[in-house]
Amino acid sequence: PHSSFDFMETQSSAVALSVAKGVDAVKLERELAAMWAEMGAGAQEAAAASSPSAGVTRACALNLVVYSERQVDALLEEVVERHPCRSIVLYADRGAEEARLEAYVSTRCQLASRGTKRICGEQVTIEAGGPIVQTLSTAVSPLLVPDVPVFLWWKDIPHYDDKLFNRLAQLSDRVVIDSASFDNPHDDMVRLAQIVEKSAGRMRLSDLNWGRLTTWRSLVASFWDVADYRASLDKIERVVIEYDRPDKSPDEVSPKALLAVGWLGTQLGWEVAPEGHRVGKRAARFAMSAAGRPVVADLSGTDDTKGRDGFIISLTLQCADGNEFFVRLRPIGAKLETGARTGGEHTVGRVLDFEARSEGRRLSAELDILTRDRVFEEAAGFAARLLEAAKR
């Protein structure tokens, strides 16, 4: 029901609680109840004095558990515009020498544009340091609102053997990560595939970086909406991808480019070849086969462009019949262009705006999804197998 409102402004209030040992869920709930009662009384007075439409509505469409080492309040403001929820934000300092655990409660309210009624969710913020970080799942569990979905936004690298990640993932209906944050994309992509495989389908995983590929995947797939192009589908022999080198790891292939190759490989039924791979500091070649026919993917990093960290710059499909299909990001302006070269002639397809959505907006979109994304899982697994084959 919250989706029927247009939100115009954000208001928030907070009460701080310092907890010396553990997180007292009963005390936190009591403070939240008192806060809501105070807000409700204030809203009734405002309604009596101004308009019958004034008031406060407490809403909780889902639980959002956030793990981060940095502040995320500004991002959450964008999320709660569409998803009033209980947010449980975990700020962790694993390197702290002394154990520390503090909790705070607050509300997050959005003002509906068709009146003065505020739609409000709530937030519990837990700050932890030292070894106690690994035990935070025991603090989160009693704070979850029952009978609504639980989302975990792991705003960090999901390490395979991280006990806290594994425990929080078990509490969650869906786990959201962002592979754009990988500081070692090759190893981290392999680790991600291992996590998915180990879960055996129990973990429903989302990747914000995969969402950034949606427009690219749609445009590539649309080439085969043209009847004259379909015969070339089984004749692809080379994929050429240019990508902006990742700021954190400029000598490794960007996760987005790896996922693009993984998506093509799984959707077109390709197999990873046992040899023929080369991975250098600014370029990589991966060898595959399609029904016994060799296929290669050549990926190369371009010079760094501000604001395009790890972006794909161009993706070209070259076919044995001489036909070529491409999608590329224009150097000036946020626009994507598609085109085809068939029979020696160049045909421009479409030019459309490239939507550079904020991280908060992308996370908000993921909170609409509960089902398992098998296409993403398969693409990540294929990319990992390519990397492992190259390492061998």
Side-chain angles (χ1 to χ4, degrees):
H2 59 277
S3 61
S4 63
F5 289 90
D6 296 318
F7 299 108
M8 298 298 293
E9 66 179 70
T10 299
Q11 300 176 348
S12 64
S13 56
V15 173
L17 298 174
S18 178
V19 184
K21 294 183 179 180
V23 174
D24 188 339
V26 174
K27 187 176 181 180
L28 291 170
E29 294 287 1
R30 190 184 304 125
E31 289 293 334
L32 281 169
M35 188 182 299
W36 285 117
E38 182 179 352
M39 291 176 63
Q44 288 179 356
E45 293 178 3
S50 57
S51 168
S53 64
V56 174
T57 298
R58 183 181 184 180
C60 183
L62 53 92
N63 295 282
L64 176 60
V65 182
V66 182
Y67 172 88
S68 179
E69 295 181 355
R70 299 176 181 85
Q71 289 290 324
V72 294
D73 282 353
L75 296 174
L76 289 178
E77 293 292 357
E78 293 185 282
V79 173
V80 299
E81 286 183 8
R82 289 182 55 192
H83 300 282
C85 61
R86 172 170 288 188
S87 304
I88 304 174
V89 183
L90 312 176
Y91 290 123
D93 181 5
R94 299 193 185 219
E97 295 181 359
E98 296 184 3
R100 182 173 67 90
L101 191 62
E102 294 180 339
Y104 312 85
V105 296
S106 59
T107 59
R108 288 185 177 275
C109 297
Q110 307 298 323
L111 189 63
S113 63
R114 290 195 293 272
T116 58
K117 185 179 291 295
R118 289 181 293 161
I119 311 299
C120 297
E122 56 200 16
Q123 178 173 323
V124 179
T125 303
I126 301 173
E127 297 182 359
I132 203 169
V133 169
Q134 291 289 2
T135 69
L136 285 179
S137 61
T138 59
V140 170
S141 182
L143 292 169
L144 297 173
V145 177
D147 303 322
V148 293
V150 179
F151 288 81
L152 169 63
W153 180 25
W154 188 264
K155 193 170 168 53
D156 196 4
I157 300 166
H159 294 293
Y160 181 78
D161 56 353
D162 191 312
K163 293 180 180 178
L164 179 60
F165 173 80
N166 292 333
R167 289 166 180 164
L168 291 177
Q170 291 174 2
L171 296 174
S172 306
D173 295 289
R174 193 169 185 87
V175 179
V176 183
I177 64 161
D178 190 351
S179 62
S181 67
F182 287 175
D183 50 12
N184 295 289
H186 296 176
D187 290 341
D188 293 338
M189 185 64 69
V190 171
R191 187 179 299 116
L192 175 63
Q194 291 173 339
I195 290 172
V196 172
E197 183 178 6
K198 182 182 178 181
S199 74
R202 293 187 300 273
M203 181 188 296
R204 299 173 182 177
L205 190 66
S206 294
D207 181 2
L208 300 185
N209 213 25
W210 176 250
R212 297 184 187 102
L213 270 177
T214 300
T215 303
W216 286 83
R217 291 186 286 120
S218 177
L219 290 174
V220 171
S222 69
F223 285 124
W224 287 276
D225 291 336
V226 181
D228 291 343
Y229 295 166
R230 291 173 192 160
S232 297
L233 181 61
D234 294 326
K235 300 176 181 178
I236 297 173
E237 61 181 6
R238 186 170 180 246
V239 180
V240 181
I241 295 178
E242 292 183 307
Y243 60 88
D244 186 274
R245 300 166 72 195
D247 293 344
K248 292 183 179 179
S249 49
D251 292 338
E252 296 196 9
V253 180
S254 81
K256 192 179 293 185
L258 291 170
L259 287 171
V261 176
W263 171 69
L264 285 168
T266 54
Q267 296 306 299
L268 296 176
W270 298 344
E271 296 180 357
V272 177
E275 55 187 22
H277 310 277
R278 297 194 305 271
V279 177
K281 288 189 174 182
R282 293 193 59 155
R285 164 166 283 198
F286 296 113
M288 298 159 285
S289 63
R293 175 174 52 82
V295 180
V296 298
D298 287 320
L299 291 73
S300 60
T302 64
D303 292 333
D304 183 66
T305 301
K306 185 178 180 180
R308 293 186 174 183
D309 182 27
F311 277 28
I312 293 178
I313 305 302
S314 67
L315 188 156
T316 304
L317 306 176
Q318 297 176 349
C319 306
D321 57 10
N323 292 343
E324 184 175 281
F325 308 89
F326 67 85
V327 180
R328 63 190 178 200
L329 183 60
R330 286 188 166 183
I332 300 176
K335 294 184 182 295
L336 286 174
E337 176 186 345
T338 69
R341 296 184 182 91
T342 59
E345 296 182 359
H346 175 211
T347 303
V348 175
R350 291 187 286 170
V351 176
L352 66 161
D353 291 333
F354 179 65
E355 184 181 11
R357 300 169 70 186
S358 67
E359 188 176 19
R361 295 295 182 187
R362 290 201 177 278
L363 174 62
S364 183
E366 294 296 335
L367 301 185
D368 291 325
I369 305 170
L370 270 175
T371 57
R372 182 180 173 191
D373 191 343
R374 294 179 182 271
V375 177
F376 162 68
E377 293 176 7
E378 292 170 357
F382 193 93
R385 293 196 296 276
L386 288 173
L387 292 165
E388 290 177 313
K391 186 176 293 187
R392 289 194 298 267

